Amino acid sequence: MNEECPDISVVVIVHNDEARLDTAVRSVLEQTLRGVEVVIVDDRSTDRSYEVARGLAERHPGRVRAFRLDENSGGCGAPRNHGITQARGTYVLFLDSDDVLERNACRNMLEAAETTGADLVSGLCVRVHVDSRGGKEVKWYPWLYTRTRTLESVSELPDLLVFDTLSTNKCYRREFLVREGLRFPVGIHYEDLLFSAQAYAAARRITLIPNRVYDWRVVDKATAKSISNRRAEIANFAHRMEIHRRVDRLLADRGLSELKFSKDVKFLKHDLVLHLRDLPFRDASYREEFAAIARGYLESIDRAAFDEVEPIQAICAYLLRESDWDNLLPAVDTLTNRDKISSPLVERDGRVYWCAEHIDGSGDTGDTGDAAFARHVLDVTELGYHTKPVEKMFLRNILTGYEKTAGITGTVRLAGRITNPLGVVPPGARLTGELEFGARRKGVRFQTFRFPVRTPRHEGASIAWEASVDLAHGLRPLGVVDAVWDVRLRLGVDGVRTTTRLTASEPGLAVGRSPVRPRLTRLVAGHIEPEVSARGHLSFRVVTRERVEALVGRGARGTPGRLVKSGYRKAKGVRRKLTSGATKIRVYHEVFSRLPVKKGLVVFESHLGRQYSDSPKALYEEMRRQDLDFDAVWSYAGRPEGFPSDATLVRRWSLPYLAALARAEFWVDNQSYPLKLTKRPRTTYIQTWHGSALKRMGFDEAEWKLRTRDAQEEQQRVLDRFDRFLIRSEHDVRTLARAFRLKERTLLRVGYPRNDALVAARGREEETGLRERGPLAAELGIPDDRAVLLYAPTFRQHGDKQRRFELPFDVERFADEFGDRYVLLVRSHYLNHVVLPPSVRGRVVDVSAHHDVTPLLALADGLITDYSSVMFDYALLGRPMFFFAHDYDEYVHEGRGTYFDLLERAPGPVVRTEEELYVALASLDEQVVKYREAREGFVAEFGEYDTGTAARSIVDQFFSQWRRA
């Protein structure tokens, strides 16, 4: 190495970290690139850090130099700045004494800089949790580093400036730092945010590389918090806000104002959230000072940024800006516990809002524009809280009282209030309650202890409760391995139950030790005391005696402890291996498939186990109706509710599921059993399929054609498992059968069993001249004087993470225009879901939760769809159909393509806009007459084998031998 001009200078800063400094420096000295020097800067440590640094310099002359500041700076800025001054390399990197460089970091970054001429090269940082059991590693914003790319300006990739604000995973051209006068701010925390923003903005070229370069070593259980994690100090938040203001000014000065919007979004999603979560643990004076600091900056946030974050994040930011603590603290509870409903909510003009305040302009300013913004932010209709029954709700339960009872040893009185959103718990409901104590560590949850709650009662917008808990006699922990006990309140409402946690949001409310009798005698522990979990919930910790703690600690560290830990880890590993997908597939083939096939065993599945529906259901019920002697197994995914009680239910992919498939005489489903499972020769697979095709399928799809030969052959092996494939028309032969490359002998031209009911319904209607609605109409609350329309769109991939999609028309407008004539049933695809506003209640009904669509089709007087295959089924009823193809060009030309032009062949009006849809819906009678001939032709072409006898025909061909004598 050239001592005067090394390739790279790595500036290592240290303060009171003598134990780890050597490891950090060694990670530099052991780089595969030899032309690297180490510049150690000690921030006036009070331990031996500087002596360690000098020793390293003496052992590695010319490669390590050590410097010491005259006084402690209290941050990272000053020592790094000194390191820049002392650096001699062409490039500069920064390393903290508790972290390490990846072995090839310098070589990879130098090569990228020299190849591209970049002022700044950035690589992947990985957070290594050094005290985690499994060596947990988390990549730092890895989507930025999926490939090598060079930017001429950071404006080409705003996420880089917004998210990767570290200074330590970067290599800087020293001449660039000098030319731009780049230095870290001193006397203020979060200096990385400003320095990295300055560097990004000034760099003439930036190169990103996909290589791991920096290990950020995190100690989760450290006794001393890092500067950035000292969020209990209000100065910490003040520094963060000041840095953000400086970055905003920098962007404005550099002409990069367009980047501020992305930065505003990240501030609301991340920076602010970090501090908001701590607010329930802070006192009133801290909260007020916090709000005062935040308010000014929140005013500078682009209001459009509120639309780019999660609703609860936007709500918290808005309420903080308004210093509305009564509504903010419950909102923070939901921010921390995402499924929790923490507000009583309010319904106004058919919309649901987080709170009643602010939305009517009655605040301090009364500004109508502010009220409109408040309504926009506080509107939670789309979250669907109003659609949930009480047993599906996770309600906030705020602890309002906690006191040790005088004169009664070990008894604690607790009181609280449970949120009652939109009055989901009605005033006349029968209420019951009990407190349940359970050990937090699942492996030792041998027993739960329950205590009665005095009759819960309505108290304003909440449900109030009290309970007396005898901890001394009613709670019996072991005392060592079950140190922490969580508390839940089970609230019963008219026989159904919902579970709540006790939120302790008032600092200092729950305090004081109580005696307890552990089962391992009082030599282990004699007291229990309340504590608040990181999520704000009340729990209790057994106070273990110091001698026992020391004994247990020595045992855990000694040979017996190591053996126990090793055995536990091995057992967990074996369990993971036994329950992995690969192991299950191997067990299926090597164990279950060697068992004899069981005569009369039939496994049914519909839509990958998500539903009890479709042709498998219709065939199963026909087999039951004929009283066949067989063993039925139904597969379910998720929850088993709604599946038949007279069948054996197995969870999809469970071992009992695999055993049933391996031994079954028949498989019956409408989509596909797991692809990796080979069907045994003595098993007959009846594939009912789930609909005729408008969209191109199988090997007719461009995506399938582009797959490798091996991939296509593997897919064909899956399709070749079908022994019989149901056909409802020759259209299916030309499309599905050809696309799946099925042999002629596989095709079963009998129609779909699910459509037998529709054919029968039309026959009865034509014979009697009457429309039979049946019990479903009453169940859905449909008045006799309303016609029923069913909206059933096809699957949409562009929903959010919850697979929610936006209806392509204004459902409230629909209800206002047609609510006195029609009830609209909305049936989303089973892979999507939709949330309806409460304003349309009774006029528009979400029926997506109904397993089977066939009864809904039979009920509907008209169908609205787009490209869904339900069009082929509903046509059998001879009733009006409307095709709302609002995105036709995109769907047909940018998607998989279609087998025919819907615009030409649709047996009903095809409309593109909401206005056209409403015009078409004006008269059902007119549509009945106008498109009668088109519907009959549609049925003749696409449903010629749907004659109403499909289920009976299949039973006769395959299961007649099981008829009882």
Side-chain angles (χ1 to χ4, degrees), residues 379-396:
D379 189 332
V380 293
T381 309
E382 296 303 319
L383 297 182
Y385 292 143
H386 60 283
T387 66
K388 293 184 177 182
V390 67
E391 63 269 23
K392 296 291 181 64
M393 290 183 168
F394 178 24
L395 301 175
R396 187 176 200 238

mmCIF file with all atom_site columns, all heavy atoms in Angstrom, residues 379-396:
data_model
loop_
_atom_site.group_PDB
_atom_site.id
_atom_site.type_symbol
_atom_site.label_atom_id
_atom_site.label_alt_id
_atom_site.label_comp_id
_atom_site.label_asym_id
_atom_site.label_entity_id
_atom_site.label_seq_id
_atom_site.pdbx_PDB_ins_code
_atom_site.Cartn_x
_atom_site.Cartn_y
_atom_site.Cartn_z
_atom_site.occupancy
_atom_site.B_iso_or_equiv
_atom_site.pdbx_formal_charge
_atom_site.auth_seq_id
_atom_site.auth_comp_id
_atom_site.auth_asym_id
_atom_site.auth_atom_id
_atom_site.pdbx_PDB_model_num
ATOM 1   N N   . ASP A 1 379 ? -61.992 9.620   7.880  1.00 0.00 ? 379 ASP A N   1
ATOM 2   C CA  . ASP A 1 379 ? -62.948 8.680   7.297  1.00 0.00 ? 379 ASP A CA  1
ATOM 3   C C   . ASP A 1 379 ? -62.346 7.269   7.291  1.00 0.00 ? 379 ASP A C   1
ATOM 4   O O   . ASP A 1 379 ? -61.356 7.004   6.617  1.00 0.00 ? 379 ASP A O   1
ATOM 5   C CB  . ASP A 1 379 ? -63.290 9.119   5.876  1.00 0.00 ? 379 ASP A CB  1
ATOM 6   C CG  . ASP A 1 379 ? -64.451 8.330   5.273  1.00 0.00 ? 379 ASP A CG  1
ATOM 7   O OD1 . ASP A 1 379 ? -64.644 7.167   5.679  1.00 0.00 ? 379 ASP A OD1 1
ATOM 8   O OD2 . ASP A 1 379 ? -65.147 8.870   4.398  1.00 0.00 ? 379 ASP A OD2 1
ATOM 9   N N   . VAL A 1 380 ? -62.949 6.365   8.053  1.00 0.00 ? 380 VAL A N   1
ATOM 10  C CA  . VAL A 1 380 ? -62.452 4.986   8.149  1.00 0.00 ? 380 VAL A CA  1
ATOM 11  C C   . VAL A 1 380 ? -63.458 3.992   7.585  1.00 0.00 ? 380 VAL A C   1
ATOM 12  O O   . VAL A 1 380 ? -63.410 2.800   7.905  1.00 0.00 ? 380 VAL A O   1
ATOM 13  C CB  . VAL A 1 380 ? -62.107 4.620   9.613  1.00 0.00 ? 380 VAL A CB  1
ATOM 14  C CG1 . VAL A 1 380 ? -60.930 5.433   10.113 1.00 0.00 ? 380 VAL A CG1 1
ATOM 15  C CG2 . VAL A 1 380 ? -63.311 4.814   10.527 1.00 0.00 ? 380 VAL A CG2 1
ATOM 16  N N   . THR A 1 381 ? -64.346 4.480   6.742  1.00 0.00 ? 381 THR A N   1
ATOM 17  C CA  . THR A 1 381 ? -65.363 3.595   6.174  1.00 0.00 ? 381 THR A CA  1
ATOM 18  C C   . THR A 1 381 ? -64.736 2.397   5.482  1.00 0.00 ? 381 THR A C   1
ATOM 19  O O   . THR A 1 381 ? -65.190 1.253   5.642  1.00 0.00 ? 381 THR A O   1
ATOM 20  C CB  . THR A 1 381 ? -66.239 4.375   5.171  1.00 0.00 ? 381 THR A CB  1
ATOM 21  O OG1 . THR A 1 381 ? -66.720 5.577   5.789  1.00 0.00 ? 381 THR A OG1 1
ATOM 22  C CG2 . THR A 1 381 ? -67.418 3.529   4.720  1.00 0.00 ? 381 THR A CG2 1
ATOM 23  N N   . GLU A 1 382 ? -63.670 2.676   4.702  1.00 0.00 ? 382 GLU A N   1
ATOM 24  C CA  . GLU A 1 382 ? -63.069 1.599   3.908  1.00 0.00 ? 382 GLU A CA  1
ATOM 25  C C   . GLU A 1 382 ? -62.382 0.538   4.762  1.00 0.00 ? 382 GLU A C   1
ATOM 26  O O   . GLU A 1 382 ? -62.062 -0.540  4.264  1.00 0.00 ? 382 GLU A O   1
ATOM 27  C CB  . GLU A 1 382 ? -62.051 2.184   2.916  1.00 0.00 ? 382 GLU A CB  1
ATOM 28  C CG  . GLU A 1 382 ? -62.673 3.096   1.875  1.00 0.00 ? 382 GLU A CG  1
ATOM 29  C CD  . GLU A 1 382 ? -63.764 2.408   1.077  1.00 0.00 ? 382 GLU A CD  1
ATOM 30  O OE1 . GLU A 1 382 ? -63.573 1.229   0.729  1.00 0.00 ? 382 GLU A OE1 1
ATOM 31  O OE2 . GLU A 1 382 ? -64.810 3.027   0.818  1.00 0.00 ? 382 GLU A OE2 1
ATOM 32  N N   . LEU A 1 383 ? -62.145 0.821   6.036  1.00 0.00 ? 383 LEU A N   1
ATOM 33  C CA  . LEU A 1 383 ? -61.544 -0.195  6.906  1.00 0.00 ? 383 LEU A CA  1
ATOM 34  C C   . LEU A 1 383 ? -62.562 -1.259  7.310  1.00 0.00 ? 383 LEU A C   1
ATOM 35  O O   . LEU A 1 383 ? -62.184 -2.315  7.824  1.00 0.00 ? 383 LEU A O   1
ATOM 36  C CB  . LEU A 1 383 ? -60.933 0.450   8.148  1.00 0.00 ? 383 LEU A CB  1
ATOM 37  C CG  . LEU A 1 383 ? -59.773 1.419   7.885  1.00 0.00 ? 383 LEU A CG  1
ATOM 38  C CD1 . LEU A 1 383 ? -59.227 1.963   9.206  1.00 0.00 ? 383 LEU A CD1 1
ATOM 39  C CD2 . LEU A 1 383 ? -58.656 0.732   7.107  1.00 0.00 ? 383 LEU A CD2 1
ATOM 40  N N   . GLY A 1 384 ? -63.826 -0.972  7.098  1.00 0.00 ? 384 GLY A N   1
ATOM 41  C CA  . GLY A 1 384 ? -64.848 -1.990  7.303  1.00 0.00 ? 384 GLY A CA  1
ATOM 42  C C   . GLY A 1 384 ? -65.154 -2.321  8.750  1.00 0.00 ? 384 GLY A C   1
ATOM 43  O O   . GLY A 1 384 ? -65.719 -3.381  9.034  1.00 0.00 ? 384 GLY A O   1
ATOM 44  N N   . TYR A 1 385 ? -64.817 -1.408  9.691  1.00 0.00 ? 385 TYR A N   1
ATOM 45  C CA  . TYR A 1 385 ? -65.132 -1.689  11.094 1.00 0.00 ? 385 TYR A CA  1
ATOM 46  C C   . TYR A 1 385 ? -66.628 -1.959  11.272 1.00 0.00 ? 385 TYR A C   1
ATOM 47  O O   . TYR A 1 385 ? -67.040 -2.806  12.071 1.00 0.00 ? 385 TYR A O   1
ATOM 48  C CB  . TYR A 1 385 ? -64.743 -0.497  11.975 1.00 0.00 ? 385 TYR A CB  1
ATOM 49  C CG  . TYR A 1 385 ? -63.267 -0.243  12.099 1.00 0.00 ? 385 TYR A CG  1
ATOM 50  C CD1 . TYR A 1 385 ? -62.762 1.064   12.156 1.00 0.00 ? 385 TYR A CD1 1
ATOM 51  C CD2 . TYR A 1 385 ? -62.351 -1.290  12.182 1.00 0.00 ? 385 TYR A CD2 1
ATOM 52  C CE1 . TYR A 1 385 ? -61.409 1.313   12.286 1.00 0.00 ? 385 TYR A CE1 1
ATOM 53  C CE2 . TYR A 1 385 ? -60.999 -1.047  12.310 1.00 0.00 ? 385 TYR A CE2 1
ATOM 54  C CZ  . TYR A 1 385 ? -60.533 0.262   12.366 1.00 0.00 ? 385 TYR A CZ  1
ATOM 55  O OH  . TYR A 1 385 ? -59.181 0.502   12.498 1.00 0.00 ? 385 TYR A OH  1
ATOM 56  N N   . HIS A 1 386 ? -67.461 -1.225  10.535 1.00 0.00 ? 386 HIS A N   1
ATOM 57  C CA  . HIS A 1 386 ? -68.911 -1.304  10.705 1.00 0.00 ? 386 HIS A CA  1
ATOM 58  C C   . HIS A 1 386 ? -69.489 -2.612  10.192 1.00 0.00 ? 386 HIS A C   1
ATOM 59  O O   . HIS A 1 386 ? -70.651 -2.913  10.446 1.00 0.00 ? 386 HIS A O   1
ATOM 60  C CB  . HIS A 1 386 ? -69.578 -0.130  9.989  1.00 0.00 ? 386 HIS A CB  1
ATOM 61  C CG  . HIS A 1 386 ? -69.309 -0.104  8.515  1.00 0.00 ? 386 HIS A CG  1
ATOM 62  N ND1 . HIS A 1 386 ? -68.094 0.323   8.007  1.00 0.00 ? 386 HIS A ND1 1
ATOM 63  C CD2 . HIS A 1 386 ? -70.059 -0.463  7.443  1.00 0.00 ? 386 HIS A CD2 1
ATOM 64  C CE1 . HIS A 1 386 ? -68.131 0.234   6.686  1.00 0.00 ? 386 HIS A CE1 1
ATOM 65  N NE2 . HIS A 1 386 ? -69.302 -0.242  6.316  1.00 0.00 ? 386 HIS A NE2 1
ATOM 66  N N   . THR A 1 387 ? -68.690 -3.385  9.489  1.00 0.00 ? 387 THR A N   1
ATOM 67  C CA  . THR A 1 387 ? -69.194 -4.647  8.935  1.00 0.00 ? 387 THR A CA  1
ATOM 68  C C   . THR A 1 387 ? -68.917 -5.835  9.841  1.00 0.00 ? 387 THR A C   1
ATOM 69  O O   . THR A 1 387 ? -69.395 -6.938  9.574  1.00 0.00 ? 387 THR A O   1
ATOM 70  C CB  . THR A 1 387 ? -68.562 -4.916  7.561  1.00 0.00 ? 387 THR A CB  1
ATOM 71  O OG1 . THR A 1 387 ? -67.150 -5.150  7.717  1.00 0.00 ? 387 THR A OG1 1
ATOM 72  C CG2 . THR A 1 387 ? -68.768 -3.739  6.617  1.00 0.00 ? 387 THR A CG2 1
ATOM 73  N N   . LYS A 1 388 ? -68.149 -5.642  10.899 1.00 0.00 ? 388 LYS A N   1
ATOM 74  C CA  . LYS A 1 388 ? -67.728 -6.767  11.726 1.00 0.00 ? 388 LYS A CA  1
ATOM 75  C C   . LYS A 1 388 ? -68.713 -7.026  12.858 1.00 0.00 ? 388 LYS A C   1
ATOM 76  O O   . LYS A 1 388 ? -69.151 -6.094  13.532 1.00 0.00 ? 388 LYS A O   1
ATOM 77  C CB  . LYS A 1 388 ? -66.344 -6.500  12.331 1.00 0.00 ? 388 LYS A CB  1
ATOM 78  C CG  . LYS A 1 388 ? -65.217 -6.441  11.329 1.00 0.00 ? 388 LYS A CG  1
ATOM 79  C CD  . LYS A 1 388 ? -63.871 -6.267  12.044 1.00 0.00 ? 388 LYS A CD  1
ATOM 80  C CE  . LYS A 1 388 ? -62.724 -6.270  11.058 1.00 0.00 ? 388 LYS A CE  1
ATOM 81  N NZ  . LYS A 1 388 ? -61.414 -6.150  11.741 1.00 0.00 ? 388 LYS A NZ  1
ATOM 82  N N   . PRO A 1 389 ? -69.045 -8.297  13.127 1.00 0.00 ? 389 PRO A N   1
ATOM 83  C CA  . PRO A 1 389 ? -69.812 -8.617  14.337 1.00 0.00 ? 389 PRO A CA  1
ATOM 84  C C   . PRO A 1 389 ? -68.899 -8.497  15.557 1.00 0.00 ? 389 PRO A C   1
ATOM 85  O O   . PRO A 1 389 ? -67.679 -8.526  15.435 1.00 0.00 ? 389 PRO A O   1
ATOM 86  C CB  . PRO A 1 389 ? -70.258 -10.059 14.103 1.00 0.00 ? 389 PRO A CB  1
ATOM 87  C CG  . PRO A 1 389 ? -69.201 -10.622 13.204 1.00 0.00 ? 389 PRO A CG  1
ATOM 88  C CD  . PRO A 1 389 ? -68.759 -9.481  12.324 1.00 0.00 ? 389 PRO A CD  1
ATOM 89  N N   . VAL A 1 390 ? -69.485 -8.391  16.715 1.00 0.00 ? 390 VAL A N   1
ATOM 90  C CA  . VAL A 1 390 ? -68.698 -8.133  17.919 1.00 0.00 ? 390 VAL A CA  1
ATOM 91  C C   . VAL A 1 390 ? -67.680 -9.234  18.184 1.00 0.00 ? 390 VAL A C   1
ATOM 92  O O   . VAL A 1 390 ? -66.567 -8.973  18.669 1.00 0.00 ? 390 VAL A O   1
ATOM 93  C CB  . VAL A 1 390 ? -69.627 -7.938  19.141 1.00 0.00 ? 390 VAL A CB  1
ATOM 94  C CG1 . VAL A 1 390 ? -70.352 -9.229  19.490 1.00 0.00 ? 390 VAL A CG1 1
ATOM 95  C CG2 . VAL A 1 390 ? -68.835 -7.422  20.341 1.00 0.00 ? 390 VAL A CG2 1
ATOM 96  N N   . GLU A 1 391 ? -68.007 -10.491 17.839 1.00 0.00 ? 391 GLU A N   1
ATOM 97  C CA  . GLU A 1 391 ? -67.064 -11.577 18.130 1.00 0.00 ? 391 GLU A CA  1
ATOM 98  C C   . GLU A 1 391 ? -65.826 -11.523 17.242 1.00 0.00 ? 391 GLU A C   1
ATOM 99  O O   . GLU A 1 391 ? -64.829 -12.176 17.533 1.00 0.00 ? 391 GLU A O   1
ATOM 100 C CB  . GLU A 1 391 ? -67.749 -12.942 17.990 1.00 0.00 ? 391 GLU A CB  1
ATOM 101 C CG  . GLU A 1 391 ? -68.240 -13.276 16.603 1.00 0.00 ? 391 GLU A CG  1
ATOM 102 C CD  . GLU A 1 391 ? -69.675 -12.846 16.364 1.00 0.00 ? 391 GLU A CD  1
ATOM 103 O OE1 . GLU A 1 391 ? -70.143 -11.920 17.086 1.00 0.00 ? 391 GLU A OE1 1
ATOM 104 O OE2 . GLU A 1 391 ? -70.327 -13.425 15.486 1.00 0.00 ? 391 GLU A OE2 1
ATOM 105 N N   . LYS A 1 392 ? -65.872 -10.741 16.142 1.00 0.00 ? 392 LYS A N   1
ATOM 106 C CA  . LYS A 1 392 ? -64.706 -10.599 15.275 1.00 0.00 ? 392 LYS A CA  1
ATOM 107 C C   . LYS A 1 392 ? -63.919 -9.327  15.591 1.00 0.00 ? 392 LYS A C   1
ATOM 108 O O   . LYS A 1 392 ? -62.941 -9.025  14.913 1.00 0.00 ? 392 LYS A O   1
ATOM 109 C CB  . LYS A 1 392 ? -65.157 -10.564 13.813 1.00 0.00 ? 392 LYS A CB  1
ATOM 110 C CG  . LYS A 1 392 ? -65.809 -11.843 13.314 1.00 0.00 ? 392 LYS A CG  1
ATOM 111 C CD  . LYS A 1 392 ? -64.821 -12.983 13.215 1.00 0.00 ? 392 LYS A CD  1
ATOM 112 C CE  . LYS A 1 392 ? -65.460 -14.260 12.686 1.00 0.00 ? 392 LYS A CE  1
ATOM 113 N NZ  . LYS A 1 392 ? -65.946 -14.155 11.317 1.00 0.00 ? 392 LYS A NZ  1
ATOM 114 N N   . MET A 1 393 ? -64.343 -8.594  16.603 1.00 0.00 ? 393 MET A N   1
ATOM 115 C CA  . MET A 1 393 ? -63.684 -7.329  16.936 1.00 0.00 ? 393 MET A CA  1
ATOM 116 C C   . MET A 1 393 ? -62.672 -7.505  18.063 1.00 0.00 ? 393 MET A C   1
ATOM 117 O O   . MET A 1 393 ? -62.902 -8.252  19.008 1.00 0.00 ? 393 MET A O   1
ATOM 118 C CB  . MET A 1 393 ? -64.722 -6.286  17.361 1.00 0.00 ? 393 MET A CB  1
ATOM 119 C CG  . MET A 1 393 ? -65.611 -5.778  16.241 1.00 0.00 ? 393 MET A CG  1
ATOM 120 S SD  . MET A 1 393 ? -66.745 -4.493  16.851 1.00 0.00 ? 393 MET A SD  1
ATOM 121 C CE  . MET A 1 393 ? -67.371 -3.857  15.295 1.00 0.00 ? 393 MET A CE  1
ATOM 122 N N   . PHE A 1 394 ? -61.550 -6.802  17.939 1.00 0.00 ? 394 PHE A N   1
ATOM 123 C CA  . PHE A 1 394 ? -60.552 -6.703  19.007 1.00 0.00 ? 394 PHE A CA  1
ATOM 124 C C   . PHE A 1 394 ? -60.698 -5.289  19.575 1.00 0.00 ? 394 PHE A C   1
ATOM 125 O O   . PHE A 1 394 ? -60.230 -4.325  18.994 1.00 0.00 ? 394 PHE A O   1
ATOM 126 C CB  . PHE A 1 394 ? -59.162 -6.946  18.433 1.00 0.00 ? 394 PHE A CB  1
ATOM 127 C CG  . PHE A 1 394 ? -58.025 -6.819  19.420 1.00 0.00 ? 394 PHE A CG  1
ATOM 128 C CD1 . PHE A 1 394 ? -58.226 -6.988  20.782 1.00 0.00 ? 394 PHE A CD1 1
ATOM 129 C CD2 . PHE A 1 394 ? -56.743 -6.533  18.978 1.00 0.00 ? 394 PHE A CD2 1
ATOM 130 C CE1 . PHE A 1 394 ? -57.182 -6.875  21.684 1.00 0.00 ? 394 PHE A CE1 1
ATOM 131 C CE2 . PHE A 1 394 ? -55.689 -6.404  19.861 1.00 0.00 ? 394 PHE A CE2 1
ATOM 132 C CZ  . PHE A 1 394 ? -55.910 -6.576  21.221 1.00 0.00 ? 394 PHE A CZ  1
ATOM 133 N N   . LEU A 1 395 ? -61.400 -5.182  20.703 1.00 0.00 ? 395 LEU A N   1
ATOM 134 C CA  . LEU A 1 395 ? -61.799 -3.883  21.232 1.00 0.00 ? 395 LEU A CA  1
ATOM 135 C C   . LEU A 1 395 ? -60.808 -3.360  22.261 1.00 0.00 ? 395 LEU A C   1
ATOM 136 O O   . LEU A 1 395 ? -60.220 -4.129  23.033 1.00 0.00 ? 395 LEU A O   1
ATOM 137 C CB  . LEU A 1 395 ? -63.185 -3.989  21.877 1.00 0.00 ? 395 LEU A CB  1
ATOM 138 C CG  . LEU A 1 395 ? -64.319 -4.457  20.951 1.00 0.00 ? 395 LEU A CG  1
ATOM 139 C CD1 . LEU A 1 395 ? -65.599 -4.644  21.738 1.00 0.00 ? 395 LEU A CD1 1
ATOM 140 C CD2 . LEU A 1 395 ? -64.524 -3.462  19.818 1.00 0.00 ? 395 LEU A CD2 1
ATOM 141 N N   . ARG A 1 396 ? -60.653 -2.050  22.277 1.00 0.00 ? 396 ARG A N   1
ATOM 142 C CA  . ARG A 1 396 ? -59.800 -1.426  23.289 1.00 0.00 ? 396 ARG A CA  1
ATOM 143 C C   . ARG A 1 396 ? -60.465 -1.531  24.661 1.00 0.00 ? 396 ARG A C   1
ATOM 144 O O   . ARG A 1 396 ? -61.649 -1.285  24.807 1.00 0.00 ? 396 ARG A O   1
ATOM 145 C CB  . ARG A 1 396 ? -59.561 0.043   22.949 1.00 0.00 ? 396 ARG A CB  1
ATOM 146 C CG  . ARG A 1 396 ? -58.535 0.723   23.855 1.00 0.00 ? 396 ARG A CG  1
ATOM 147 C CD  . ARG A 1 396 ? -58.270 2.140   23.410 1.00 0.00 ? 396 ARG A CD  1
ATOM 148 N NE  . ARG A 1 396 ? -57.023 2.649   23.920 1.00 0.00 ? 396 ARG A NE  1
ATOM 149 C CZ  . ARG A 1 396 ? -56.886 3.737   24.669 1.00 0.00 ? 396 ARG A CZ  1
ATOM 150 N NH1 . ARG A 1 396 ? -57.959 4.452   24.984 1.00 0.00 ? 396 ARG A NH1 1
ATOM 151 N NH2 . ARG A 1 396 ? -55.705 4.142   25.079 1.00 0.00 ? 396 ARG A NH2 1
#
